[in-house]
């Protein structure tokens, strides 16, 4: 019996309580396997790494040792998971001249084989990242060689022949877990600002219409949905960058809010950092939570203006949930101390935090994440500092990613406001209350400049 239900008759009323049927799933994202790490170091931001570490360097993408120790290491931590989410970006941050369709397919195939051999009895729901196509970012809204080849190696995980046509034309699909939770796996890369093949289309590959239909049917069938993909909606902060075009971002938000009653959570990657966003409904109530998992790769950007991203450690995420309702119960975030791993020639995965304990919330439902958002009242607030401490997957202090008042307010804007108009209005209010910026024009110019520079690197 999966759930224990106790029914009591008291004063003519029926009261029922139930214990959750608890399950777990892993979420891995952004391996960015650098096949050249031990030779040409193509992903290392032009840095000459004279003594590359066994498990990587914080200027570079993942060597095979880090990829392998991540997959085998999480199995040692917990092998009896219900399923896994793998949200893309297998291919490294290297110039397209060093890549090809065949090489990209091979990189994805090799990691797929590693995951299948390590977790032979676990279904893994995989999605593309923007780097996984060749040329990078430019996912087409029609059938192509990469869709075909990838479907063949992921087909046993999807395990539903009715999804053939969806994957072949657009790289997306839906399926049901063994406990009845519906997975909706999107190719959100088609909404990426750099995808010039889709930017002028109303509905690339018909994915929006498909998503609306799947969620409508889920409501009719009393299903609960986990929505997953790579490029997320909303704005990454504190930079204020939107990965989706404004039109696609708005359509995505509208569909999610329209069907918020069946979506128990959204799990995405792409940003390499540990963060979350909330979809608020018209009543001002948190309706859907969007969780951004930190990357496996320790790669950090270096901008043309000289700005350098603080280092961050590899991350792997375990999510606790209720199998029957899909209710998201907790996040157990693991990290690997890269410097220690290289010094000792041994990579160890350590539990950095679980969300309920770290933030003092009962679970990670939208209501609880809204309460967490409300708790973060200032840059010096201890809850906010705890949140920023893990932004870069570090087990140190928030000094690793210093966040002043302007940074704090921008982060808060990004959590609460995910469409262009509301986010821009929030930033304007931030500007009006902060003396660091002498004029609204200067602030807007700074945001736009950071936006343009940062997009070049992802």
């Amino acid at each position: 019996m999966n759930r224990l239900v106790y029914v009591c008759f008291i004063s003519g009323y029926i009261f029922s309580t139930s214990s959750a049927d608890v399950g777990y799933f892993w979420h891995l994202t952004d391996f960015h396997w650098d096949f050249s790490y031990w030779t040409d170091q193509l992903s290392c931001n032009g840095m000459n790494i004279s003594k590359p570490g066994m498990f990587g360097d914080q200027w570079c993408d993942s060597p095979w040792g880090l990829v392998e120790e991540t997959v085998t290491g999480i199995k040692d931590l917990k092998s009896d998971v219900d399923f896994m989410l793998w949200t893309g970006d297998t291919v490294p941050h290297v110039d397209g001249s060093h890549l090809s369709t065949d090489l990209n397919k091979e990189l994805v195939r090799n990691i797929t084989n590693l995951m299948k051999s390590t977790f032979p009895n676990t279904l893994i729901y995989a999605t593309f990242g923007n780097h996984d196509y060749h040329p990078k970012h430019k996912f087409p809204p029609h059938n192509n060689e990469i869709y075909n080849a990838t479907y063949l190696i992921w087909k046993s995980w999807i395990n539903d022949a009715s999804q053939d046509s969806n994957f072949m034309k657009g790289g997306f699909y839906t399926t049901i877990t063994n406990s009845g939770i519906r997975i909706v796996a999107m190719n959100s890369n088609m909404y990426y600002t750099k995808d010039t093949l889709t930017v002028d289309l109303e509905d690339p590959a018909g994915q929006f219409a498909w998503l609306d239909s799947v969620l409508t049917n889920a409501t009719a069938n009393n299903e609960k949905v986990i929505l997953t993909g790579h490029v997320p909606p909303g704005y990454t902060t504190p930079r204020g960058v939107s990965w989706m075009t404004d039109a696609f971002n708005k359509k995505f938000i509208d569909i999610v809010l329209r069907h918020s009653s069946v979506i128990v959570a959204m799990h995405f990657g792409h940003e390499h950092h540990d963060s979350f966003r909330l979809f608020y409904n018209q009543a001002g109530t948190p309706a859907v939570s969007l969780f951004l998992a930190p990357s496996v790769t320790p790669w950090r950007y270096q901008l043309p203006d000289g700005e350098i991203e603080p280092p961050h450690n590899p991350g792997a995420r375990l999510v606790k949930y209720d199998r029957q309702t899909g209710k998201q119960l907790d996040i157990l975030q693991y990290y690997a101390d890269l410097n220690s791993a290289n010094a000792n020639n041994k990579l160890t995965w350590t539990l950095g935090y679980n969300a309920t304990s770290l933030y003092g919330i009962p679970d990670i439902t939208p209501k609880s994440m809204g309460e967490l958002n409300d708790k973060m009242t200032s840059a010096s607030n201890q809850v906010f500092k705890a949140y920023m401490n893990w932004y870069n997957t570090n087990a140190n202090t928030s000094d690793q990613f210093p966040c002043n008042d302007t940074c704090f307010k921008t982060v808060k804007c990004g959590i609460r406001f995910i469409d262009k108009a509301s986010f821009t209005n929030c930033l304007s209010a931030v500007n009006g209350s902060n003396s660091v910026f002498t004029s609204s024009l200067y602030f807007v110019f700074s945001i736009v400049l950071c936006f343009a520079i940062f997009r070049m690197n992802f």
Side-chain angles (χ1 to χ4, degrees):
M1 187 174 183
N2 290 333
R3 292 174 69 86
L4 300 175
V5 180
Y6 305 89
V7 180
C8 304
F9 296 85
I10 304 176
S11 302
Y13 294 94
I14 299 177
F15 296 86
S16 67
T17 60
S18 60
S19 60
D21 179 11
V22 174
Y24 293 85
F25 62 87
W26 283 109
H27 181 190
L28 295 178
T29 193
D30 294 84
F31 282 106
H32 288 289
W33 169 27
D34 186 356
F35 54 88
S36 72
Y37 177 79
W38 294 107
T39 53
D40 299 323
Q41 300 180 348
L42 295 174
S43 72
C44 297
N45 294 288
M47 306 292 288
N48 180 19
I49 311 301
S50 58
K51 295 181 180 180
M54 177 180 293
F55 299 106
D57 186 277
Q58 285 166 328
W59 285 113
C60 311
D61 275 324
S62 307
W64 181 254
L66 176 56
V67 173
E68 187 172 38
E69 290 296 323
T70 298
V71 177
T72 59
I74 65 169
K75 182 180 181 180
D76 291 339
L77 291 171
K78 188 167 182 62
S79 60
D80 57 333
V81 292
D82 295 341
F83 58 89
M84 294 174 62
L85 301 180
W86 171 21
T87 51
D89 264 7
T90 301
V91 177
H93 298 86
V94 304
D95 186 86
S97 62
H98 299 289
L99 300 168
S100 67
T101 294
D102 286 342
L103 178 56
N104 283 28
K105 290 190 300 183
E106 187 65 20
L107 295 175
V108 173
R109 183 181 298 110
N110 286 349
I111 294 186
T112 298
N113 290 340
L114 170 64
M115 296 177 83
K116 284 185 173 181
S117 63
T118 307
F119 288 89
N121 301 314
T122 302
L123 292 175
I124 300 174
Y125 304 119
T127 49
F128 288 111
N130 57 293
H131 282 266
D132 295 334
Y133 198 78
H134 183 74
K136 63 184 177 182
H137 315 314
K138 294 176 172 55
F139 279 84
H142 54 70
N143 184 249
N144 61 83
E145 185 178 349
I146 285 182
Y147 290 170
N148 293 345
T150 307
Y151 186 67
L152 290 178
I153 62 173
W154 289 354
K155 189 174 182 178
S156 62
W157 286 337
I158 298 172
N159 196 30
D160 185 348
S162 71
Q163 298 305 304
D164 289 10
S165 60
N166 292 325
F167 200 100
M168 296 298 190
K169 72 177 178 181
F172 54 87
Y173 62 93
T174 183
T175 189
I176 293 281
T177 69
N178 291 334
S179 60
I181 304 300
R182 179 164 294 281
I183 302 295
V184 177
M186 299 192 66
N187 182 6
S188 58
N189 306 290
M190 290 192 291
Y191 309 141
Y192 191 29
T193 54
K194 290 186 178 182
D195 193 341
T196 56
L197 300 180
T198 61
V199 67
D200 294 323
L201 301 179
E202 288 289 326
D203 186 4
Q207 185 174 213
F208 280 131
W210 168 84
L211 175 63
D212 187 65
S213 176
V214 168
L215 295 175
T216 297
N217 291 335
T219 301
N221 296 326
N222 198 29
E223 297 172 342
K224 294 301 182 181
V225 172
I226 292 175
L227 188 60
T228 185
H230 185 72
V231 171
Y235 289 78
T236 182
T237 56
R239 292 188 167 275
V241 176
S242 174
W243 306 113
M244 293 185 179
T245 68
D246 295 337
F248 290 150
N249 188 55
K250 185 179 186 305
K251 287 182 179 180
F252 202 160
I253 293 168
D254 288 347
I255 292 174
V256 168
L257 285 176
R258 191 160 62 249
H259 298 284
S260 60
S261 63
V262 298
I263 302 173
V264 292
M266 299 170 63
H267 294 278
F268 280 67
H270 184 63
E271 295 189 3
H272 297 196
H273 299 294
D274 187 337
S275 61
F276 76 98
R277 292 172 200 143
L278 292 169
F279 290 66
Y280 284 76
N281 59 26
Q282 289 186 340
T285 302
V288 180
S289 301
L290 168 62
F291 298 101
L292 289 304
S295 61
V296 173
T297 182
W299 178 91
R300 55 177 174 152
Y301 61 78
Q302 181 174 222
L303 301 183
D305 65 357
E307 182 180 347
I308 297 174
E309 179 186 23
H312 59 93
N313 287 314
R317 173 165 290 182
L318 184 65
V319 181
K320 179 181 178 182
Y321 78 111
D322 184 331
R323 293 188 178 105
Q324 299 301 313
T325 65
K327 179 180 179 180
Q328 309 286 280
L329 301 175
D330 210 349
I331 286 173
L332 290 80
Q333 184 61 53
Y334 289 86
Y335 75 102
D337 187 316
L338 189 61
N339 291 334
S340 175
N342 287 332
N344 298 306
N345 291 327
K346 179 178 174 58
L347 188 139
T348 301
W349 288 98
T350 303
L351 177 62
Y353 71 84
N354 63 31
T356 55
S357 296
L358 180 65
Y359 300 126
I361 51 179
D363 49 48
I364 56 169
T365 59
K367 180 178 184 294
S368 296
M369 297 308 293
E371 291 171 357
L372 169 59
N373 186 31
D374 293 341
K375 287 182 179 182
M376 297 191 296
T377 55
S378 70
S380 59
N381 173 269
Q382 290 304 308
V383 176
F384 180 73
K385 291 178 74 173
Y387 174 65
M388 294 308 297
N389 174 56
W390 286 102
Y391 180 80
N392 282 319
T393 327
N394 286 343
N396 300 312
T397 68
S398 57
D399 292 338
Q400 291 293 319
F401 193 86
C403 194
N404 60 17
D405 288 342
T406 300
C407 166
F408 163 76
K409 292 173 183 176
T410 308
V411 169
K412 290 279 285 184
C413 287
I415 291 174
R416 175 65 176 81
F417 301 105
I418 52 181
D419 67 282
K420 182 179 181 180
S422 62
F423 182 73
T424 301
N425 288 339
C426 182
L427 289 183
S428 297
V430 169
N431 178 55
S433 64
N434 196 297
S435 61
V436 172
F437 299 98
T438 58
S439 70
S440 176
L441 179 63
Y442 180 78
F443 177 69
V444 172
F445 173 77
S446 301
I447 290 294
V448 171
L449 180 60
C450 286
F451 169 75
I453 295 173
F454 192 53
R455 271 176 37 187
M456 292 171 58
N457 291 273
F458 274 75

